[in-house]
Amino acid sequence: MVDPTSDLGEDLTEEDAPRCAWCEEPAFGVGRRVVTRVVNGQIEHVHFCGDACRTAWQRDEREATHP
Ligand SMILES: [Zn+2]
């Protein structure tokens, strides 16, 4: 018997998953992305449910920090 959820090879459940920083869906499964950045000398991990959200967020960040 095959458990389809075990294909991901992850212990994380949807409820445990961090929220996507862009769309606030659970950052969960094979498509998820994590960006590590340093904010005020502290390492921060920003989670995304997929590449599209990461790209959109990074574009937004760049514009927000640009004078
Ligand atoms: Zn997302």
Side-chain angles (χ1 to χ4, degrees):
M1 187 172 160
V2 177
D3 175 7
T5 60
S6 67
D7 285 350
L8 298 173
E10 296 183 0
D11 298 331
L12 224 58
T13 67
E14 196 168 326
E15 285 179 5
D16 289 338
R19 296 280 151 172
C20 174
W22 186 252
C23 71
E24 297 185 345
E25 291 291 311
F28 178 70
V30 292
R32 80 189 204 286
R33 296 285 182 270
V34 181
V35 172
T36 305
R37 64 174 187 172
V38 179
V39 179
N40 299 326
Q42 297 227 309
I43 293 176
E44 189 178 287
H45 298 285
V46 188
H47 299 262
F48 301 96
C49 64
D51 245 352
C53 284
R54 186 187 62 172
T55 303
W57 177 85
Q58 285 180 325
R59 194 188 304 132
D60 201 58
E61 279 287 289
R62 225 173 288 134
E63 283 171 8
T65 55
H66 200 272

